[in-house]
Amino acid sequence: MTSIPPGEDPKALVEGFNLASLPPAFYDDPFPVYAALQSLSPVHELPGGGLFLTRWDDLRTVYQQPALFSSDKKAAFRPVFGHTLLYQHHTTSLVFNDPPLHTRVRRLVAGALTSRAIAPMEKALHHLLDDLLDRAEAQGAIDAIDDFAAAIPIEIIASLMNIPPDEREPLRGWSLAILSALEPNPSEDMKQTAETAVGDFLAFLKTLIEDRRRHPLDPDTDLLTRLIQGTGIRDGLTEIELLQNCIFILNAGHETTTNLVGNGLHLLLTLPSARDLLLRRPALIKTAVEEVLRFASPNQLGNRVSTADTTLGGQRVFAGTQITLCIGAANRDPAQFENPNDFDITRSPNRHLAFASGPHMCAGQQLARLEGQLALARFFERFPQAELAGEPKRGNRARFRGFSSLPVKLSPD
Ligand code: HEM
């Protein structure tokens, strides 16, 4: 199976590619364009400036050299966001920083998200899934995004920070608004909505942090107490860094994990042979989740800026070049993956870049895997004959690949 459909001219796909103005069909299926870029222009100059990389090798090269390819977004974001809270948020988040800020925050966050630290969450996750699936069964048909996939990460991350259950409701809306502003060409409206969301989120966190300072919890299990204790000390965080990184962590695990579960459900609902195999051999859930991460990577695009003149894929790159790393394309690179457009839940090894690579590699990957594996396994255990009950709707975003709606009927009539 090739991802460039017969009759489609790869050269025309490459020439027509403009990240700043994408046609609606692209959101549905960007892979023919990615495959054309990969074979004809792997280090592609974008119409508005900057490079777009699609080869697995080139992405790895960039990820592994953080000094040469910086994550600092201050210069890139100032013209887009101006002097706003949104600018402060994105440019203070660890993911968009180099050392020393990145190192300081990463050290604090990483310890709270190791396999050992998250193991106690497994029981709570089982309860949450049983509860959601009981409710789903009573309904008979559900929107698998709103009623299932999106309901999982919000509860898990909020409980990592011990946010009281009755205060969690606005978190998803804030998170979606803030992340939307990272689309390649955000509208004024998107930016304004995101700005309001950052303001509301900050106000919410200030109250929560004040209260947690008065009543600290165990820093080994409460991420918020851990971050607070790392604030205002030597080599610690400033108050603004504390607040903005709390927002980032709450956001980082939301939509990405929702999309992992939503994309996994969609693939297994629409590819019966993969689902049947998983039902016969449930132990395949681990490789199945890795394959969902590769095949429909929740985070499709990353960014870096070059700090010195260099070369990439044999092409000269000048200092100060904005570089877009296309994870979605690299994860279908035939030079790394055999039959890359086949969804194969037994694939091993599977060296996908869905969580990136190098010092910024996703700090929450073990948690995301745990959520993805348990959610998909429990769903199909309970509803092995579930089927799509209507047209799924995509989120229509280039950076985050997922569905905004996925109607599902849980058993046949
Ligand atoms: C399927 C779900 C997820 C995917 C696909 C994903 C993907 C990514 C990617 C690609 C990066 C690197 C960005 C870059 O350097 O350009 C990243 C960073 C990060 N992710 Fe995730 N993520 C997921 C879930 C989570 C969860 C559940 C959490 C935590 C609760 C989390 C926390 C973070 C943090 C803190 C970083 C920043 C790491 C750093 O800059 O050192 N992520 N993630």
Side-chain angles (χ1 to χ4, degrees), residues 28 31 98 153 363 399:
D28 228 15
F31 298 105
D98 297 327
R399 189 172 293 278

Short mmCIF file of all heavy atoms in Angstrom, two decimals, residues 28 31 98 153 363 399:
data_model
loop_
_atom_site.label_atom_id
_atom_site.label_comp_id
_atom_site.label_asym_id
_atom_site.label_seq_id
_atom_site.Cartn_x
_atom_site.Cartn_y
_atom_site.Cartn_z
N ASP A 28 -7.78 15.62 6.94
CA ASP A 28 -8.29 14.27 6.88
C ASP A 28 -7.16 13.28 6.65
O ASP A 28 -7.04 12.29 7.36
CB ASP A 28 -9.24 14.20 5.67
CG ASP A 28 -10.52 13.55 6.03
OD1 ASP A 28 -10.78 13.42 7.24
OD2 ASP A 28 -11.26 13.16 5.11
N PHE A 31 -1.06 12.27 4.81
CA PHE A 31 0.05 11.35 4.53
C PHE A 31 0.51 11.32 3.07
O PHE A 31 1.72 11.16 2.83
CB PHE A 31 -0.26 9.96 5.11
CG PHE A 31 -0.42 10.03 6.61
CD1 PHE A 31 -1.68 9.96 7.20
CD2 PHE A 31 0.67 10.26 7.42
CE1 PHE A 31 -1.83 10.08 8.57
CE2 PHE A 31 0.53 10.39 8.80
CZ PHE A 31 -0.72 10.29 9.38
N ASP A 98 15.55 26.07 26.57
CA ASP A 98 16.82 25.35 26.64
C ASP A 98 17.28 25.40 28.10
O ASP A 98 16.66 26.07 28.93
CB ASP A 98 17.86 26.05 25.76
CG ASP A 98 17.46 26.04 24.29
OD1 ASP A 98 16.82 25.06 23.86
OD2 ASP A 98 17.77 27.01 23.58
N PRO A 153 -7.73 11.34 30.57
CA PRO A 153 -6.52 12.09 30.97
C PRO A 153 -6.80 13.24 31.90
O PRO A 153 -5.99 13.53 32.80
CB PRO A 153 -5.94 12.59 29.65
CG PRO A 153 -6.94 12.30 28.59
CD PRO A 153 -7.89 11.29 29.11
N ALA A 363 8.08 13.72 28.95
CA ALA A 363 8.29 13.32 30.34
C ALA A 363 7.11 12.49 30.86
O ALA A 363 7.23 11.83 31.88
CB ALA A 363 8.46 14.57 31.21
N ARG A 399 -1.26 20.27 13.97
CA ARG A 399 -0.28 19.90 14.99
C ARG A 399 -0.75 18.69 15.80
O ARG A 399 0.02 17.81 16.13
CB ARG A 399 -0.03 21.09 15.92
CG ARG A 399 1.12 20.89 16.88
CD ARG A 399 1.45 22.15 17.63
NE ARG A 399 1.98 23.19 16.78
CZ ARG A 399 3.25 23.30 16.40
NH1 ARG A 399 4.13 22.42 16.80
NH2 ARG A 399 3.62 24.28 15.61
#
